[in-house]
Amino acid sequence: METPGSQTSLHRANLERVVRAVRMAGSLTQAEIARTTGLSAATVSNIVRELKDSGTVEVTPTSAGGRRARSVSLSGSAGIVIGVDFGHTHLRVAVGNLAHQVLAEESEPLDVDASSAQGFGRAEELVTRLIAATGIGHDKVIGVGLGVPGPIDVVSGTLGSTSILPGWTGINPSEELSGRLGVPVYVDNDANLGALGELVWGSGRGVKDLAYIKVASGVGAGLVIDGQIYRGPGGTAGEIGHITLDESGPVCRCGNRGCLETFTAARYVLPLLQSSHGADLTMERVVQLAREGDPGCRRVVADVGRHIGSGVANLCNLLNPSRVVLGGDLAEAGELVLGPIRDSVSRYAIPSAARQLSVLPGALGGRAEVLGALALVLSEMGDSTLLESALPAGTPAFT
Ligand SMILES: [Zn+2]
């Protein structure tokens, strides 16, 4: 029986702090662990030795700033995590270990008109096949992170009616997939997972406050505040697409007029070019043509950037993030879109908020969401399974 404040519970709390820091960072030197957790170097050294003896962490020699150091990561054999991303036109699955290594990854086209049962059946098959390919037993699966392209109702856990996959409204994706795979499933929308993916593996590494902006069929933002995804009590935080830019602008699907989305999302932007560039134009193609110098496409991409920048400026004034990461197809336009975003930010955000902001393209492209799904499991899984081996019942107090 542990009483709060006893040596044993204090020790357990310290173990948890170290394991959590390493779990989210992938690998850290002992000095970095001390900085992140606020524990003394001597305590970190003792705890790392103990976790290494129990097989929870692996310690490898490395160099930090030219000095020899020891890099600590969770043991690759401690368990595996699975990411599943249902996109507008694809299904992507990744298998990773707790040391942040991606062991297997595959994507296949998904028919948007497919029924949810068909979609989950395909996901189950692909997950089972990729786990088998790693040679690691199914019993090592800690959990699955699942990305869906739409808002999840926080109370019921079901997909809202504005989701992009028709016929999925009212489905509980977490129950559906955990019933098939027999492991816990954590679910989130694509913007939040993109933010987590870039935070852990991509352009957001090393920062604690970022906004990930994704422009696709809609416009969404995933917000990371102090290292954590901010969802809000109803799960709708980050609906940047519905910031009003023009009160007399086009009517938006949300019922308001002149939302950011009506100036930036594909279905509003593509018609501007279709009479000159053909009816089968896609955003991907617009970006490609802009890069090749097509003046009309360049103009449209720059205007989209300017409007996104207005939204980002609002976000800066409210949340003061240190980094904004642009994901989705649009990020491929590079400076053609990032330059206008920065211009709008410097025009509309208060200078002190704009000064510390960097606006970067996503580093992960179409993989951001599935890697974010892996990161979601790493973030939600808790440490009890990992600490069982490190801290058996009756472990004597440790100082
Ligand atoms: Zn709207």
Side-chain angles (χ1 to χ4, degrees):
M1 178 80 191
E2 287 177 24
T3 47
S6 72
Q7 287 287 9
T8 314
S9 64
L10 189 66
H11 176 49
R12 190 187 165 88
N14 287 347
L15 279 170
E16 280 175 1
R17 280 156 87 176
V18 171
V19 167
R20 175 165 174 83
V22 175
R23 184 153 58 82
M24 292 314 290
S27 68
L28 290 173
T29 64
Q30 294 197 171
E32 286 167 335
I33 295 175
R35 256 199 310 278
T36 310
T37 59
L39 297 171
S40 74
T43 305
V44 169
S45 174
N46 284 333
I47 286 183
V48 166
R49 189 178 328 120
E50 195 187 346
L51 289 169
K52 182 172 176 271
D53 290 345
S54 67
T56 309
V57 302
E58 284 163 8
V59 180
T60 44
T62 179
S63 65
R67 293 171 56 194
R68 286 196 307 145
R70 281 146 47 92
S71 164
V72 182
S73 60
L74 289 182
S75 165
S77 59
I80 54 174
V81 291
I82 314 282
V84 175
D85 172 39
F86 280 113
H88 189 200
T89 55
H90 69 267
L91 164 68
R92 197 185 283 263
V93 173
V95 179
N97 65 17
L98 302 187
H100 288 208
Q101 288 160 329
V102 178
L103 307 172
E105 186 177 345
E106 210 171 298
S107 117
E108 49 182 60
L110 179 77
D111 178 6
V112 278
D113 295 325
S115 71
S116 61
Q118 220 176 321
F120 284 110
R122 295 263 302 280
E124 183 186 358
E125 268 174 45
L126 190 50
V127 166
T128 310
R129 185 152 58 77
L130 287 190
I131 294 175
T134 65
I136 299 169
H138 193 280
D139 58 319
K140 284 284 187 185
V141 178
I142 288 172
V144 176
L146 171 61
V148 290
I152 294 284
D153 184 302
V154 169
V155 179
S156 65
T158 57
L159 269 167
S161 57
T162 53
S163 113
I164 286 145
L165 298 174
W168 289 44
T169 304
I171 297 286
N172 185 317
S174 166
E175 276 177 11
E176 192 70 37
L177 198 57
S178 63
R180 287 167 180 268
L181 295 172
V183 292
V185 174
Y186 310 95
V187 64
D188 212 332
N189 67 50
D190 50 351
N192 286 349
L193 291 187
L196 269 178
E198 292 288 349
L199 179 76
V200 172
W201 275 282
S203 298
R205 286 193 71 159
V207 302
K208 294 181 96 176
D209 300 273
L210 78 82
Y212 172 83
I213 315 277
K214 184 168 179 187
V215 184
S217 321
V219 183
L223 306 175
V224 175
I225 299 176
D226 201 19
Q228 303 279 328
I229 285 284
Y230 180 75
R231 299 181 177 88
T236 50
E239 286 288 355
I240 191 176
H242 302 284
I243 288 177
T244 305
L245 292 189
D246 179 2
E247 277 185 17
S248 51
V251 175
C252 179
R253 63 185 166 131
C254 74
N256 286 329
R257 293 187 66 167
C259 293
L260 173 62
E261 188 169 301
T262 66
F263 293 96
T264 53
R267 68 179 168 286
Y268 295 97
V269 169
L270 292 178
L272 300 172
L273 289 163
Q274 273 161 343
S275 60
S276 53
H277 290 70
D280 55 352
L281 201 62
T282 59
M283 263 332 263
E284 203 180 346
R285 179 77 183 134
V286 170
V287 167
Q288 190 192 347
L289 288 170
R291 287 170 58 131
E292 288 167 8
D294 181 281
C297 292
R298 283 201 166 199
R299 172 61 197 250
V300 164
V301 165
D303 285 350
V304 167
R306 226 162 25 83
H307 289 124
I308 294 173
S310 301
V312 169
N314 282 316
L315 210 87
C316 273
N317 290 348
L318 291 173
L319 295 175
N320 188 203
S322 45
R323 194 160 297 174
V324 164
V325 177
L326 182 68
D329 289 338
L330 199 55
E332 300 290 320
E335 286 307 307
L336 295 175
V337 68
L338 297 172
I341 292 179
R342 293 191 195 105
D343 288 347
S344 281
V345 171
S346 60
R347 178 175 299 196
Y348 300 117
I350 46 176
S352 56
R355 242 193 322 270
Q356 12 175 288
L357 180 77
S358 54
V359 180
L360 299 178
L364 304 173
R367 302 172 69 212
E369 289 80 11
V370 79
L371 294 184
L374 293 181
L376 181 66
V377 186
L378 290 168
S379 140
E380 302 283 325
M381 61 182 268
D383 298 311
S384 44
T385 334
L386 291 170
L387 289 178
E388 262 165 39
S389 53
L391 196 69
T395 302
F398 177 89
T399 50

PDB file of all heavy atoms in Angstrom, residues 241-243 251-262, ligand 1:
ATOM      1  N   GLY A 241     -10.874  27.399 -39.786  1.00  0.00           N
ATOM      2  CA  GLY A 241     -11.528  27.604 -41.078  1.00  0.00           C
ATOM      3  C   GLY A 241     -12.771  28.470 -40.987  1.00  0.00           C
ATOM      4  O   GLY A 241     -13.239  28.994 -41.998  1.00  0.00           O
ATOM      5  N   HIS A 242     -13.302  28.632 -39.769  1.00  0.00           N
ATOM      6  CA  HIS A 242     -14.546  29.393 -39.643  1.00  0.00           C
ATOM      7  C   HIS A 242     -14.354  30.741 -38.951  1.00  0.00           C
ATOM      8  O   HIS A 242     -15.282  31.315 -38.398  1.00  0.00           O
ATOM      9  CB  HIS A 242     -15.627  28.512 -38.994  1.00  0.00           C
ATOM     10  CG  HIS A 242     -15.847  27.273 -39.803  1.00  0.00           C
ATOM     11  ND1 HIS A 242     -16.559  27.283 -40.982  1.00  0.00           N
ATOM     12  CD2 HIS A 242     -15.351  26.016 -39.664  1.00  0.00           C
ATOM     13  CE1 HIS A 242     -16.526  26.062 -41.515  1.00  0.00           C
ATOM     14  NE2 HIS A 242     -15.791  25.283 -40.734  1.00  0.00           N
ATOM     15  N   ILE A 243     -13.129  31.255 -38.990  1.00  0.00           N
ATOM     16  CA  ILE A 243     -12.885  32.649 -38.618  1.00  0.00           C
ATOM     17  C   ILE A 243     -13.499  33.513 -39.720  1.00  0.00           C
ATOM     18  O   ILE A 243     -13.321  33.229 -40.911  1.00  0.00           O
ATOM     19  CB  ILE A 243     -11.365  32.935 -38.538  1.00  0.00           C
ATOM     20  CG1 ILE A 243     -10.753  32.262 -37.306  1.00  0.00           C
ATOM     21  CG2 ILE A 243     -11.075  34.432 -38.539  1.00  0.00           C
ATOM     22  CD1 ILE A 243      -9.248  32.449 -37.205  1.00  0.00           C
ATOM     23  N   VAL A 251     -21.445  32.246 -48.708  1.00  0.00           N
ATOM     24  CA  VAL A 251     -22.035  31.487 -47.600  1.00  0.00           C
ATOM     25  C   VAL A 251     -21.233  30.188 -47.412  1.00  0.00           C
ATOM     26  O   VAL A 251     -20.956  29.465 -48.359  1.00  0.00           O
ATOM     27  CB  VAL A 251     -23.522  31.159 -47.884  1.00  0.00           C
ATOM     28  CG1 VAL A 251     -24.087  30.254 -46.788  1.00  0.00           C
ATOM     29  CG2 VAL A 251     -24.332  32.449 -47.975  1.00  0.00           C
ATOM     30  N   CYS A 252     -20.854  29.928 -46.159  1.00  0.00           N
ATOM     31  CA  CYS A 252     -20.028  28.768 -45.812  1.00  0.00           C
ATOM     32  C   CYS A 252     -20.932  27.602 -45.429  1.00  0.00           C
ATOM     33  O   CYS A 252     -22.096  27.800 -45.074  1.00  0.00           O
ATOM     34  CB  CYS A 252     -19.130  29.161 -44.644  1.00  0.00           C
ATOM     35  SG  CYS A 252     -18.046  27.855 -44.056  1.00  0.00           S
ATOM     36  N   ARG A 253     -20.387  26.361 -45.443  1.00  0.00           N
ATOM     37  CA  ARG A 253     -21.196  25.198 -45.039  1.00  0.00           C
ATOM     38  C   ARG A 253     -21.625  25.281 -43.583  1.00  0.00           C
ATOM     39  O   ARG A 253     -22.554  24.609 -43.155  1.00  0.00           O
ATOM     40  CB  ARG A 253     -20.442  23.902 -45.311  1.00  0.00           C
ATOM     41  CG  ARG A 253     -19.167  23.766 -44.507  1.00  0.00           C
ATOM     42  CD  ARG A 253     -18.371  22.525 -44.896  1.00  0.00           C
ATOM     43  NE  ARG A 253     -17.029  22.631 -44.332  1.00  0.00           N
ATOM     44  CZ  ARG A 253     -16.428  21.673 -43.655  1.00  0.00           C
ATOM     45  NH1 ARG A 253     -17.032  20.530 -43.431  1.00  0.00           N
ATOM     46  NH2 ARG A 253     -15.220  21.855 -43.190  1.00  0.00           N
ATOM     47  N   CYS A 254     -20.966  26.138 -42.774  1.00  0.00           N
ATOM     48  CA  CYS A 254     -21.352  26.277 -41.364  1.00  0.00           C
ATOM     49  C   CYS A 254     -22.535  27.221 -41.205  1.00  0.00           C
ATOM     50  O   CYS A 254     -23.101  27.346 -40.127  1.00  0.00           O
ATOM     51  CB  CYS A 254     -20.170  26.768 -40.526  1.00  0.00           C
ATOM     52  SG  CYS A 254     -19.788  28.516 -40.759  1.00  0.00           S
ATOM     53  N   GLY A 255     -22.921  27.918 -42.277  1.00  0.00           N
ATOM     54  CA  GLY A 255     -24.072  28.816 -42.205  1.00  0.00           C
ATOM     55  C   GLY A 255     -23.672  30.278 -42.101  1.00  0.00           C
ATOM     56  O   GLY A 255     -24.497  31.166 -42.316  1.00  0.00           O
ATOM     57  N   ASN A 256     -22.415  30.542 -41.778  1.00  0.00           N
ATOM     58  CA  ASN A 256     -21.958  31.934 -41.750  1.00  0.00           C
ATOM     59  C   ASN A 256     -21.495  32.373 -43.139  1.00  0.00           C
ATOM     60  O   ASN A 256     -21.477  31.574 -44.072  1.00  0.00           O
ATOM     61  CB  ASN A 256     -20.809  32.096 -40.740  1.00  0.00           C
ATOM     62  CG  ASN A 256     -21.330  32.062 -39.321  1.00  0.00           C
ATOM     63  OD1 ASN A 256     -22.453  32.479 -39.054  1.00  0.00           O
ATOM     64  ND2 ASN A 256     -20.509  31.549 -38.418  1.00  0.00           N
ATOM     65  N   ARG A 257     -21.106  33.629 -43.234  1.00  0.00           N
ATOM     66  CA  ARG A 257     -20.617  34.131 -44.523  1.00  0.00           C
ATOM     67  C   ARG A 257     -19.157  34.555 -44.396  1.00  0.00           C
ATOM     68  O   ARG A 257     -18.729  35.070 -43.374  1.00  0.00           O
ATOM     69  CB  ARG A 257     -21.461  35.333 -44.968  1.00  0.00           C
ATOM     70  CG  ARG A 257     -22.881  34.946 -45.291  1.00  0.00           C
ATOM     71  CD  ARG A 257     -23.641  36.103 -45.890  1.00  0.00           C
ATOM     72  NE  ARG A 257     -23.113  36.497 -47.207  1.00  0.00           N
ATOM     73  CZ  ARG A 257     -23.768  37.321 -48.031  1.00  0.00           C
ATOM     74  NH1 ARG A 257     -24.931  37.827 -47.681  1.00  0.00           N
ATOM     75  NH2 ARG A 257     -23.248  37.634 -49.185  1.00  0.00           N
ATOM     76  N   GLY A 258     -18.414  34.322 -45.469  1.00  0.00           N
ATOM     77  CA  GLY A 258     -17.054  34.831 -45.574  1.00  0.00           C
ATOM     78  C   GLY A 258     -16.056  34.206 -44.609  1.00  0.00           C
ATOM     79  O   GLY A 258     -15.082  34.848 -44.217  1.00  0.00           O
ATOM     80  N   CYS A 259     -16.285  32.921 -44.234  1.00  0.00           N
ATOM     81  CA  CYS A 259     -15.317  32.228 -43.376  1.00  0.00           C
ATOM     82  C   CYS A 259     -13.993  32.053 -44.131  1.00  0.00           C
ATOM     83  O   CYS A 259     -13.977  32.005 -45.363  1.00  0.00           O
ATOM     84  CB  CYS A 259     -15.824  30.847 -42.998  1.00  0.00           C
ATOM     85  SG  CYS A 259     -17.258  30.850 -41.932  1.00  0.00           S
ATOM     86  N   LEU A 260     -12.904  31.918 -43.388  1.00  0.00           N
ATOM     87  CA  LEU A 260     -11.575  31.646 -43.958  1.00  0.00           C
ATOM     88  C   LEU A 260     -11.636  30.511 -44.975  1.00  0.00           C
ATOM     89  O   LEU A 260     -11.007  30.563 -46.036  1.00  0.00           O
ATOM     90  CB  LEU A 260     -10.606  31.304 -42.806  1.00  0.00           C
ATOM     91  CG  LEU A 260      -9.205  30.814 -43.157  1.00  0.00           C
ATOM     92  CD1 LEU A 260      -8.433  31.859 -43.930  1.00  0.00           C
ATOM     93  CD2 LEU A 260      -8.448  30.433 -41.889  1.00  0.00           C
ATOM     94  N   GLU A 261     -12.421  29.478 -44.637  1.00  0.00           N
ATOM     95  CA  GLU A 261     -12.541  28.320 -45.523  1.00  0.00           C
ATOM     96  C   GLU A 261     -13.049  28.701 -46.910  1.00  0.00           C
ATOM     97  O   GLU A 261     -12.627  28.125 -47.914  1.00  0.00           O
ATOM     98  CB  GLU A 261     -13.489  27.306 -44.864  1.00  0.00           C
ATOM     99  CG  GLU A 261     -13.550  25.982 -45.581  1.00  0.00           C
ATOM    100  CD  GLU A 261     -14.292  24.924 -44.759  1.00  0.00           C
ATOM    101  OE1 GLU A 261     -13.861  24.628 -43.619  1.00  0.00           O
ATOM    102  OE2 GLU A 261     -15.290  24.395 -45.247  1.00  0.00           O
ATOM    103  N   THR A 262     -13.947  29.693 -46.985  1.00  0.00           N
ATOM    104  CA  THR A 262     -14.519  30.059 -48.283  1.00  0.00           C
ATOM    105  C   THR A 262     -13.513  30.800 -49.171  1.00  0.00           C
ATOM    106  O   THR A 262     -13.802  31.094 -50.329  1.00  0.00           O
ATOM    107  CB  THR A 262     -15.798  30.925 -48.128  1.00  0.00           C
ATOM    108  OG1 THR A 262     -15.441  32.184 -47.560  1.00  0.00           O
ATOM    109  CG2 THR A 262     -16.841  30.255 -47.248  1.00  0.00           C
TER     110      THR A 262
HETATM  111 ZN    ZN B   1     -17.762  28.620 -41.864  1.00  0.00          ZN
END
